[in-house]
Amino acid sequence: MKKYALVGTGGRAGMYIEAIGKTFRDSAQMVAFCDTNQTRMRYANRLLGNAGAQPVPCFVAAQFEEMIRDTRPDTVIVTTMDRTHDDYIVRALYAGCDVITEKPMTIDEVRALRILNAIEETGREVRVTFNYRYAPHHSKVRELLMNGTIGEVFSVHFEWLLNTEHGADYFRRWHREKRNSGGLLVHKSTHHFDLMNFWLGSYPARVYAEGALRFYGRENAEKRGVSQFYPRAHGYPAAKNDPFALHMEESAQLKELYLEAEHEDSYFRDQSVFSDGITIEDTLSVLVKYQNQTQLTYSLNAYLPQEGLNVVFNGSRGRLEMKLVENSYVNGGGLREAEGSLDRCDITVYPMFAAPWKADFTLGEGGHGGGDNAMLADLFGEPGDDPLQRAADHRAGAMSILTGIAGNISMQQQRPVNFSEFELVRRLAGR
């Protein structure tokens, strides 16, 4: 029986609480929660009770080491704000624990080097929870490319669409400040850049990026003729009929997790997406050259009428296309099983000298087409062989965020960024 402590009891924590408290109770046990907010920890204990487990002790952030001494977890699960991931990861490693962390592993190279140093000095392990790897459709693409279905991959076009519900949500909460999240190229695109590394079996060599805040933010709204503004939805009549407003009082989960917790930390989950203070981009384009010479063109837009992706691989023996429409959601605002669920998905192979054909795959139950449950089983269930090698360690976590970090540098300095510039890459290559 492995023991787990969880730090950061916001919207991402529920998946782990339910898995440990219910699905994997025979092999896993939650022993403690840690957070800056007591209200959210009490909510986490209610979730744990609903899953059929006993409540656990709660520790404030300053008591993190005390929590580990008192409850002796084998592994600490980190689901805090992105910019604090490295702090809790490093402290957990030095306290003698392994770590499971939400993506992104961290938000810049300095923090990533802190994590790498701690891993090398302690010999402990860090797992990064890339649930997209486990989604059956993404796993199928990995299988097809590994089997040489379209030969050597020369170029990829990857377009990710975030809509006006899910996409807008990054501009309501702490993610809207780049100092907290690294921007969407790090926070969100780490999923996509990890998929590229996973699919191609290669890492980037050079990155060039362009990006801007074109839709969200007050100035952009003013250009479109908007004249009524409000700082947040709750308590402001101007937000009542705004389709971009998040009304937390209409969701039991959001109300308990955030609205009723505001008195402790003054964190407002429902900020206006057209207010000042947004420092991340909503329109992004990236060119990547990989070590195996594959070329990627990537785009991310966060204000579209549809949620999903279009990705095409052009190879020496043909072309592979995946078109995916996801059902939209707001993090922490509904059933976990609905997060990233698929409306439709097609994978089509176009051989160079034969008729096109559709690839068969079977979706699983739960969020992200079954990817969430498959990942949780890999984390907390009985270990088994995985020919697709979907488990992601700190190396995978580092190499996925570095594409976004390089993109941020490229946008700031208006130049291509070579991966050889990063000490982290040189360190990882020497291992």
Side-chain angles (χ1 to χ4, degrees):
M1 176 77 71
K2 282 193 174 183
K3 298 193 296 184
Y4 297 86
L6 184 143
V7 54
T9 55
R12 295 302 302 169
M15 175 171 69
Y16 304 100
I17 294 170
E18 181 181 339
I20 293 172
K22 182 179 180 180
T23 311
F24 301 101
R25 65 176 61 177
D26 292 337
S27 57
Q29 178 188 9
M30 189 73 75
V31 295
F33 292 129
C34 182
D35 201 296
T36 58
N37 192 293
Q38 291 280 4
T39 301
R40 278 195 286 276
M41 286 194 283
R42 286 194 292 270
Y43 179 75
N45 257 328
R46 286 198 294 277
L47 290 182
L48 194 60
N50 293 340
Q54 293 298 311
V56 299
C58 295
F59 298 81
V60 296
Q63 298 173 311
F64 182 73
E65 280 80 10
E66 179 183 336
M67 174 192 72
I68 293 175
R69 288 195 303 269
D70 288 355
T71 64
R72 305 184 64 83
D74 300 295
T75 302
V76 172
I77 302 170
V78 178
T79 57
T80 59
M81 185 185 299
D82 296 350
R83 68 172 168 83
T84 66
H85 282 187
D86 68 301
D87 182 53
Y88 291 111
I89 291 170
V90 169
R91 289 163 68 186
L93 294 172
Y94 282 120
C97 302
D98 292 326
V99 174
I100 294 170
T101 182
E102 263 292 324
K103 62 82 194 167
M105 185 175 76
T106 188
I107 63 171
D108 59 35
E109 187 191 16
V110 172
R111 288 174 166 89
L113 283 168
R114 284 192 68 217
I115 295 170
L116 180 60
N117 289 339
I119 291 170
E120 291 177 343
E121 291 177 14
T122 65
R124 311 303 304 191
E125 295 183 354
V126 173
R127 287 277 300 268
V128 184
T129 55
F130 287 123
N131 51 357
Y132 278 1
R133 286 186 174 210
Y134 294 83
H137 44 295
H138 296 321
S139 295
K140 188 65 177 182
V141 171
R142 162 87 159 168
E143 177 188 328
L144 291 168
L145 295 178
M146 285 178 64
N147 292 340
T149 304
I150 61 168
E152 183 181 358
V153 177
F154 296 146
S155 67
V156 183
H157 175 69
F158 192 147
E159 177 188 27
W160 195 276
L161 298 75
L162 289 168
N163 71 2
T164 52
E165 181 182 34
H166 184 205
D169 206 37
Y170 295 108
F171 298 83
R172 299 184 183 111
R173 46 194 174 134
W174 55 261
H175 307 70
R176 74 206 308 257
E177 295 183 55
K178 188 169 280 194
R179 70 182 185 91
N180 289 332
S181 65
L184 289 179
L185 274 190
V186 173
H187 175 82
K188 181 62 179 176
S189 299
T190 185
H191 265 317
H192 315 146
F193 298 141
D194 176 69
L195 281 175
M196 285 301 307
N197 297 343
F198 174 65
W199 284 332
L200 295 177
S202 185
Y203 293 125
R206 186 166 57 251
V207 174
Y208 179 79
E210 293 281 357
L213 183 67
R214 298 298 307 277
F215 184 78
Y216 298 109
R218 181 165 182 141
E219 291 183 17
N220 290 321
E222 288 174 340
K223 291 175 184 177
R224 294 191 296 272
V226 176
S227 58
Q228 283 194 316
F229 293 93
Y230 55 91
R232 60 172 303 192
H234 185 69
Y236 284 85
K240 183 177 181 181
N241 297 315
D242 183 359
F244 288 94
L246 179 67
H247 301 288
M248 292 190 290
E249 63 276 7
E250 297 176 1
S251 164
Q253 288 177 248
L254 291 176
K255 184 179 178 182
E256 289 195 70
L257 267 176
Y258 299 108
L259 188 59
E260 295 177 353
E262 289 177 359
H263 68 280
E264 291 193 42
D265 55 17
S266 299
Y267 171 57
F268 302 132
R269 173 69 175 77
D270 61 343
Q271 296 176 81
S272 169
V273 299
F274 301 118
S275 59
D276 290 323
I278 297 172
T279 58
I280 66 173
E281 302 82 11
D282 58 22
T283 305
L284 292 151
S285 301
V286 186
L287 295 174
V288 184
K289 183 71 171 291
Y290 286 81
Q291 293 174 9
N292 67 358
Q293 303 304 306
T294 302
Q295 301 171 36
L296 167 69
T297 59
Y298 170 86
S299 67
L300 175 71
N301 297 278
Y303 43 80
L304 299 179
Q306 191 179 76
E307 180 93 2
L309 72 86
N310 301 307
V311 60
V312 298
F313 300 82
N314 301 306
S316 59
R317 295 171 51 195
R319 177 180 171 97
L320 185 155
E321 296 185 357
M322 178 165 62
K323 297 184 181 296
L324 164 65
V325 176
E326 285 190 356
N327 294 311
S328 184
Y329 67 96
V330 170
N331 181 259
L335 294 173
R336 181 178 65 80
E337 290 77 9
E339 293 191 3
S341 60
L342 273 60
D343 181 65
R344 61 183 183 274
C345 179
D346 291 306
I347 300 174
T348 308
V349 177
Y350 296 86
M352 193 167 284
F353 299 109
W357 51 274
K358 299 277 189 186
D360 292 327
F361 59 93
T362 302
L363 296 179
E365 296 182 357
H368 298 93
D372 289 357
N373 287 341
M375 180 191 72
L376 292 168
D378 192 26
L379 288 171
F380 304 121
E382 292 297 324
D385 293 331
D386 182 2
L388 298 179
Q389 298 179 324
R390 291 172 293 184
D393 61 6
H394 69 279
R395 180 186 178 91
M399 295 306 286
S400 69
I401 59 172
L402 277 178
T403 308
I405 291 167
N408 281 332
I409 295 171
S410 178
M411 287 189 290
Q412 183 182 32
Q413 300 182 4
Q414 296 186 317
R415 68 175 180 89
V417 175
N418 293 312
F419 261 46
S420 59
E421 299 176 33
F422 293 112
E423 178 186 347
L424 183 61
V425 171
R426 297 191 294 272
R427 291 272 298 277
L428 289 171
R431 286 176 60 80

